[in-house]
């Protein structure tokens, strides 16, 4: 009997029954051959074997196979989505399809769909507003806090009943017996001490004792409510902190020194919240945080009492509370009844049972959000008419801002069966080609991005690859006479090849891999998942590969290793403090439930823009002029408009050259009461405003870089 995993490339790997086998979700099938038994068992269910073989598909659930008295454990490396999150991506996919016109969508339609109020057409980029409403409207924390004021008194001085207990005890200490003690003694001779003429002498008797009983209905209900409320307040505390940090999107900046145009992503992402509303809502969250802290403090006191420890393993109370005399009349217990009803009568969240499994929606969201992030630096595709999307695929469109060009295109990752995307950024360069004797129409070249025709000279602001050269020739030859097309095609092809072959242009190539599955909530499983994904991506073709994950560091309850959590928000930079080495693979959380997803994209774009621009002429943040320092500060380029600085330096530890940035830090939005290790990682990222291109730390209020090569 042989069990093998067969991937989508028909590559086989024989599995062992002696170890746990780790497999990526939906990545192939289990081929079971040479089976002797007529039945096999898959997760306890029996399946008939046909001619000694059977094939089992690997989906998103782990598998336990029992074949011929051997057990194979196949652990699928993912977690299942909550129905609410599935529903969000389903809604995104449906709105996207509604905006397609004959299967196509241009940039104008796309950005109108971000801002429209039509629910059928609005393409959501984050679910922040709904989350904010749910935590601020579903919990009356002030009323909850008032009710919890009385709970510590109940746990310190609880109501209790006297309970009669019959127990066998030494006869010398028994003070009260009942009729049943005589019957019990008569039938248990082992408790006899002896028999005399006067009668039986007992050694032990069944005694009747009275004990205080704390496990009454009211106390059980109170303990159940404390556990439930404690869990909900811990969850609410994390959601409150998350909303508070996400709400401070300080991203407005000038992108033109002359026109002072501002692109406020917040206006789209926080729909309906202006500056005043944001400030008010942040105060609302701060007040809620204060009440949450008070509630948790009081619940903590309750959980430390002897009553709580006594009832710890007692069966919880469910459903509607009974109107007992204690709940109705006691001046403390009546608040338990009130609090129970307060929690039960909250606004019910609509069920998401109709949500479908996520298929291509996550990859589509990642592409759409990247186009949105390009607008942060005012990258535009206005000079080229065309569609940004054809169905769910990217149109091969070129974007431009000031001196930078960016080409964004589809990239199929075959080993993972994922529809990703790739970008190639470069600096504009003027490449001249004399047209004569070829006749080229200005109308035809005007429709091609980055190409101009001036006085019989073609001006290219970037190098065209072979495919782009072919497409350009096909476009311009439509205006040539038929008898000239063959010769002019050959001649133009030679001119293009000669011109581009002699140009040395630096590129920054990046591959983005949207991993739609939630990472497993286990340290070793996370490491194995990332290892297997990296092994299936062709890393050599790109300067950087970014694995886009739908999981955020704060969403793991069973992972306490800070190094592992840090690896889930990494741009591939070294950091010696957490033993992270330089890597050309970064792991970036991108999701509908995180408003800062697009800002992680902007951080990647900023790094590429700075790496390519050796001349330091233009500020990548605001578009104004950079000013180079003099003397010992000639390595510093400063923008006097926005205060952004780009600094070239050399590491004193490894001797490598690198570049880092300094700028005005945004206001800190981290609350003091952050216990979740994942939140601390997100808060650290947020603190630096997504404008640091290396890992950094603060000292005396100033930004200090860590070398991206050695991490020191």
């Amino acid at each position: 009997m042989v069990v093998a995993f067969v991937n989508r490339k028909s590559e086989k790997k024989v599995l062992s029954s002696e170890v746990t086998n780790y497999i990526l979700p939906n990545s192939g099938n289990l081929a079971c051959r040479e089976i002797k038994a007529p039945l096999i068992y898959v997760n306890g269910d029996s399946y008939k074997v046909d001619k000694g073989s059977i094939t089992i598909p690997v989906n998103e659930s782990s598998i336990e196979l029992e074949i011929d008295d051997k057990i194979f454990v196949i652990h699928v490396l993912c977690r299942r989505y909550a129905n609410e999150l599935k529903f969000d991506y389903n809604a995104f996919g449906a709105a996207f399809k509604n905006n397609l016109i004959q299967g196509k969508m241009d940039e104008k339609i796309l950005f109108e769909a971000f801002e429209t109020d039509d629910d059928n057409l609005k393409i959501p980029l984050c679910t922040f507003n709904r989350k904010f409403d749910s935590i601020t409207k579903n919990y009356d924390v002030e009323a909850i806090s008032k009710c919890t004021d009385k709970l510590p008194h109940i746990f310190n001085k609880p109501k209790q009943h006297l309970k009669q207990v019959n127990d066998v005890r030494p006869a010398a200490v028994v003070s009260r017996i009942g009729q049943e003690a005589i019957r019990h003694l008569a039938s248990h001779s082992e408790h006899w001490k002896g028999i005399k003429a006067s009668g039986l002498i007992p050694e032990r008797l069944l005694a009747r004792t009275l004990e205080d009983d704390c496990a009454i209905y009211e106390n059980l209900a109170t303990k159940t409510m404390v556990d439930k409320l404690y869990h909900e307040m811990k969850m609410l505390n994390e959601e409150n902190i998350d909303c508070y940090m996400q709400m401070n999107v300080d991203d407005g900046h000038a992108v033109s020194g002359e026109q002072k145009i501002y692109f406020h992503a917040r206006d789209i992402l926080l729909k309906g919240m202006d500056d005043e509303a944001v400030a008010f809502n942040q105060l609302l969250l701060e007040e809620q945080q204060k009440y949450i802290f008070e509630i948790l403090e009081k619940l903590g006191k309750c959980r430390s009492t002897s009553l709580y420890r006594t009832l710890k393993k007692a069966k919880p109370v469910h459903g509607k509370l009974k109107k007992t005399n204690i709940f109705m009349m006691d001046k403390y217990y009546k608040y338990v009844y009130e609090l129970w009803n307060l929690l039960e009568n909250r606004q019910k969240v609509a069920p998401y049972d109709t949500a479908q499994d996520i298929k291509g929606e996550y990859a589509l969201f990642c592409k759409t959000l990247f186009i949105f992030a390009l607008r942060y630096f005012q990258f535009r595709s206005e000079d080229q008419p065309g569609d940004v999307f054809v169905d769910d695929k990217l149109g091969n469109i070129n974007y431009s801002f000031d001196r930078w060009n960016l080409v964004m295109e589809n990239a199929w990752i075959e080993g993972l069966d994922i529809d990703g995307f790739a970008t190639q950024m470069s600096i504009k360069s003027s490449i001249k080609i004399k047209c004569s004797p070829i006749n080229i129409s200005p109308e035809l070249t005007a429709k091609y991005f980055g190409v101009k025709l001036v006085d019989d000279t073609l001006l290219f602001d970037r190098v065209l690859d072979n495919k782009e050269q072919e497409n350009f020739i096909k476009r311009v030859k439509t205006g040539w006479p038929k008898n000239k097309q063959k010769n002019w095609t050959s001649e133009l092809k030679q001119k293009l090849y000669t011109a581009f072959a002699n140009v040395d242009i630096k590129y920054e190539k990046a591959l983005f891999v949207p991993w739609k599955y939630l990472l497993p909530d286990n340290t070793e499983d996370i490491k194995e998942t990332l290892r297997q994904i990296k092994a299936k991506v062709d890393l050599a073709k790109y300067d950087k590969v970014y694995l886009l994950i739908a999981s955020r560091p704060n969403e793991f309850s069973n992972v306490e290793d800070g190094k592992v959590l840090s690896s889930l928000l990494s741009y591939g930079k070294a950091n010696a403090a957490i033993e992270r080495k330089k890597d050309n693979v970064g792991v970036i959380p991108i999701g509908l439930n995180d408003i800062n997803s697009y800002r992680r994209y902007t951080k990647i774009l900023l790094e590429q823009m700075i790496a390519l621009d050796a001349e330091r002429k233009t500020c990548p943040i605001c578009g104004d002029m950079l000013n180079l320092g003099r003397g010992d500060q000639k390595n510093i380029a400063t923008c006097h408009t926005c205060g952004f600085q780009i600094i070239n330096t050399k590491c004193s530890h490894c001797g490598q050259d690198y570049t880092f940035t300094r700028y005005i830090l945004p206001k800190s939005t981290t609350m003091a009461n952050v216990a979740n290790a994942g939140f601390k990682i997100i808060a650290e990222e947020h603190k630096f405003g997504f404008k640091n291109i290396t890992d950094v730390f603060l000292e005396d209020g100033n930004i200090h870089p860590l070398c991206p090569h050695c991490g020191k």
Side-chain angles (χ1 to χ4, degrees), residues 685-705:
E685 176 196 40
H686 194 277
K687 180 170 68 177
F688 294 106
F690 302 86
K691 293 177 184 175
N692 55 303
I693 60 173
T694 64
D695 279 14
V696 294
F697 65 94
L698 280 181
E699 190 175 282
D700 298 328
N702 293 319
I703 295 175
H704 293 273

Side-chain angles (χ1 to χ4, degrees), residues 390-424:
V390 179
D391 292 324
D392 61 346
K393 299 288 188 282
L394 286 168
N396 292 322
I397 298 174
N398 301 284
Y399 294 87
S400 177
F401 163 58
D402 197 80
R403 306 179 62 235
W404 293 275
N405 279 325
L406 183 136
V407 178
M408 184 179 177
E409 57 189 7
N410 298 293
W412 180 256
I413 298 99
E414 188 175 358
L416 296 170
D417 199 27
I418 284 178
D419 183 18
F421 63 97
T423 63
Q424 177 177 283

Side-chain angles (χ1 to χ4, degrees), residues 478-699:
T478 57
W480 296 342
K482 287 188 177 181
N483 61 340
K484 299 282 188 181
Q485 285 187 0
K486 185 176 180 180
N487 290 336
W488 283 1
T489 296
S490 177
E491 191 170 345
L492 182 56
K493 189 180 292 185
Q494 184 61 40
K495 285 176 178 286
L496 292 173
Y497 173 80
T498 303
F500 295 141
N502 295 326
V503 177
D504 182 20
I505 295 182
K506 185 180 177 184
Y507 294 98
E508 284 287 326
K509 297 181 179 180
L511 174 68
F512 295 84
V513 184
W515 184 249
K516 72 175 182 179
Y517 306 99
L518 296 180
L519 294 180
D521 192 4
N522 176 280
T523 298
E524 295 305 318
D525 288 358
I526 289 173
K527 291 179 181 178
E528 180 63 21
T529 305
L530 297 180
R531 187 194 67 77
Q532 289 199 26
I533 294 173
K534 290 178 183 180
K536 295 180 182 294
V537 178
D538 186 358
L539 306 179
K541 292 170 61 176
Y542 303 93
D543 299 299
K544 211 61 173 287
V545 174
Y546 294 99
L547 175 60
L548 312 178
I549 59 173
S551 308
R552 303 170 66 205
N554 61 292
E555 294 171 356
F556 296 89
S557 56
N558 298 320
V559 180
E560 297 179 355
D561 190 336
K563 297 172 187 176
V564 174
L565 291 173
S566 294
S567 72
L568 303 181
L569 181 46
S570 162
Y571 294 83
K573 308 299 181 186
N575 189 327
I578 54 176
E579 299 178 12
R580 187 172 67 212
K581 296 181 179 179
K582 183 181 179 182
D583 195 353
N584 66 335
V585 178
V587 182
I588 312 296
I590 300 291
L592 266 168
N593 57 342
D594 187 352
I595 200 172
N596 286 318
S597 294
Y598 88 97
R599 303 186 77 188
R600 298 188 179 105
Y601 278 149
T602 65
K603 186 172 177 177
I604 293 169
L605 290 169
L606 179 62
E607 181 186 351
Q608 293 179 342
M609 293 166 77
I610 291 174
L612 290 169
D613 184 21
E615 296 181 11
R616 301 282 188 260
K617 289 183 176 180
T618 306
C619 174
I621 297 296
C622 72
D624 271 355
M625 184 178 68
L626 286 174
N627 297 275
L628 292 174
R630 295 181 180 179
D632 59 353
Q633 292 192 342
K634 63 183 180 181
N635 63 320
I636 302 175
T638 304
C639 175
H640 294 314
T641 302
C642 67
F644 191 72
Q645 287 186 325
I646 303 172
I647 304 169
N648 298 324
T649 189
K650 177 177 285 191
C651 178
S652 59
H653 296 277
C654 67
Q656 293 267 29
D657 293 328
Y658 69 94
T659 304
F660 70 97
T661 57
R662 280 202 176 115
Y663 45 90
I664 300 170
L665 287 170
K667 291 184 297 183
S668 176
T669 60
T670 306
M671 292 182 176
N673 189 24
V674 181
N676 185 301
F679 265 129
K680 290 180 180 178
I681 293 168
I682 293 175
E684 186 72 10
E685 176 196 40
H686 194 277
K687 180 170 68 177
F688 294 106
F690 302 86
K691 293 177 184 175
N692 55 303
I693 60 173
T694 64
D695 279 14
V696 294
F697 65 94
L698 280 181
E699 190 175 282

